[in-house]
Structures are given as C-alpha cells and as structure tokens.
Amino acid sequence: PLHSASLTILKPVTIVLLSPSIGSNNGGQLISVYGLGFENDGTLACNFGSAASVPAVVFNSTTLNCLLPPHQCPGRVNVTVSRRDDVVSIIPAEFEYLPALLTGLTLSSNTVSSLGGTSLSISTPYLEVYRPYSCRFGYKFVPATFINATMLSCESPPLDIEMIDFAISLDGADISTSQIVSVLLPADILLVDPMAVDNLSDFNISVYFTSNITEYGLTCKFDSEPILAIVESNCFQLTCSHQGSSVSGYHSLSIYFGA
C-alpha cells in the first residue's frame, strides 16, 4: 500500500439505567450509571446534553459514577458515555434537569416521633401535579401525598432519636432545601382529667405527661376533629380545649405529634 494508518476500534457500551434520573441544573449531584461493557481504563466520561463532559469513575463492567455538571436550563437531555471524546454508548439515556432547589418549605411540625407515624403537612412553592414525590427523613424515604400545587403530606418512618434533615425528593434526588427535624421519644401519659364531662358544648381536658413536652409540637383530636392544644407553663401539662356542641356517649381523645 502507498499509505497506512492505525485504526482504533472502540468497543460499544450500553446504558440501562440512571439513578437518580433527575437533578438540579446547578449540578454537583452524584449520578450512578448502570449498563454493560464499561472498562476501567481511565478514558470514560459522561455527557449530559450540551454540558461539558465529566470524568467517569468505573466500579465494574456494569456500574460507573459521574458528578452531574451544571446545565444552563431546566429540561430533559440525552446522556451518553464517551471514550477519548468519542461517544461509545449505543442508545442514549434520558436525564431531567430541574430548576434550582425549592426554598421556603413550611412544615406543620418540626418534631416527629421516633416510633414513626407522625403526619406532616408541607407547604411548598409551586409543584407539578402527579409527580412521584417523596419525603426524605435523614436517609429514609417515604411516599408523599400530593394535596395540591402548594401542599404535600407524608407520614414519618421509625427513626433514631436525633436531629435529622428533611427534604422533598423526586426519584431519590432532593428538589428542596433541607430543614432540621427533631426525632423525639414519645412522652408517657400520667393522667387524663377529667375522664367524663357533663357539659356537652365547651370543655377542657388536661393531659399530664411524665416528661417535658414543650418541644413536641403536640396536637389534640376529639374523635377525628382537631381541637385547640395548649402546653401549660409547667411544661408537663397539655390542655385540649373543645369548642362547640357534642353528643353524649363515648368519644376518643388522641394526642399527635404535628398536625
């Protein structure tokens, strides 16, 4: 031959899954890429749409991690894997960039029970309808119920007694700034007084606890109806105040963390 040249054949790779598949357009989030054919030769990179490529850390032939690069605009982009600036993934995956993290969350209570089951209402800026939102309590995720465009609710899981951070997440990625939530051991009830009332309209019921309850954010419910709850100055007494008429018979009085 008059001329010869070396030819490098790049082995193709396959992307099966991104986790998470959404993230802030500010970048900085660790993204796991699962697929086939990844080689740990120090040349693989991840490409997120038009953002600058980022180096890949290969764990094995089916898993690599990339640090999400910033992107100018929210929206969906194609993700590919490249080697020496040449794309080698057969079919691109899809990733969604979200706007900057939501701020200004308001929780119905900043305390939850270590036993779980605390119902929280979360007021938020505008949310898209019918997205699979979750509430993150520390490292635990629970499904969130979409109430309307500015309200979610969720129920806390069992947790260790400590201070944890809380955030709204989507597909395992935080989409809000975090807030600190206190996980407390429920206080034991020592006494309920009175156990019966003659007046069926306005009445107060005092609930005495064995420990200080000022930080618990407790609420009272008469049957299923929320009623006024006041922590008295002695810090161990909660007064549940029922306003309005009621019917005679047996009723339930329940004490809850939060709403």
Side-chain angles (χ1 to χ4, degrees):
L2 297 177
H3 301 283
S4 64
S6 61
L7 178 65
T8 302
I9 299 176
L10 301 176
K11 294 181 180 180
V13 304
T14 301
I15 300 175
V16 176
L17 176 70
L18 304 178
S19 180
S21 60
I22 63 170
S24 168
N25 62 347
N26 293 332
Q29 185 178 353
L30 194 65
I31 307 298
S32 295
V33 182
Y34 300 97
L36 301 169
F38 302 145
E39 292 185 2
N40 191 8
D41 59 3
T43 65
L44 291 185
C46 296
N47 311 289
F48 290 80
S50 60
S53 62
V54 290
V57 177
V58 179
F59 290 95
N60 52 51
S61 63
T62 61
T63 307
L64 61 82
N65 281 354
C66 289
L67 198 63
L68 182 65
H71 198 268
Q72 186 174 4
C73 301
R76 291 179 171 86
V77 299
N78 285 335
V79 178
T80 58
V81 174
S82 61
R83 177 181 284 116
R84 302 186 186 92
D85 297 327
D86 291 313
V87 174
V88 292
S89 50
I90 300 172
I91 300 174
E94 188 175 79
F95 184 87
E96 183 178 2
Y97 276 101
L98 298 174
L101 295 177
L102 298 173
T103 58
L105 298 187
T106 302
L107 306 183
S108 57
S109 176
N110 287 95
T111 58
V112 297
S113 168
S114 62
L115 301 180
T118 302
S119 295
L120 288 182
S121 298
I122 307 103
S123 299
T124 74
Y126 179 78
L127 293 169
E128 293 183 46
V129 181
Y130 304 132
R131 299 297 294 268
Y133 298 108
S134 297
C135 294
R136 180 177 63 79
F137 292 85
Y139 63 89
K140 293 186 176 181
F141 294 83
V142 295
T145 301
F146 184 90
I147 306 300
N148 56 49
T150 58
M151 180 73 71
L152 297 174
S153 68
C154 59
E155 192 169 283
S156 67
L159 298 161
D160 293 331
I161 301 172
E162 58 183 348
M163 306 284 280
I164 60 172
D165 57 325
F166 171 91
I168 297 173
S169 66
L170 189 60
D171 191 28
D174 286 357
I175 62 168
S176 74
T177 55
S178 61
Q179 292 197 19
I180 298 299
V181 170
S182 299
V183 182
L184 302 175
L185 184 69
D188 292 326
I189 293 177
L190 180 65
L191 175 68
V192 177
D193 183 46
M195 294 294 292
V197 294
D198 296 324
N199 184 358
L200 298 181
S201 56
D202 301 339
F203 54 86
N204 294 331
I205 299 175
S206 295
V207 183
Y208 298 89
F209 292 84
T210 57
S211 57
N212 189 327
I213 58 171
T214 53
E215 296 181 0
Y216 280 54
L218 298 177
T219 58
C220 302
K221 287 186 179 180
F222 184 76
D223 292 334
S224 60
E225 175 191 359
I227 60 176
L228 181 64
I230 302 171
V231 177
E232 303 296 346
S233 58
N234 62 22
C235 304
F236 292 82
Q237 177 185 348
L238 182 72
T239 298
C240 300
S241 182
H242 183 277
Q243 306 294 320
S245 60
S246 182
V247 296
S248 60
Y250 290 98
H251 298 271
S252 65
L253 178 69
S254 305
I255 310 297
Y256 290 85
F257 280 83

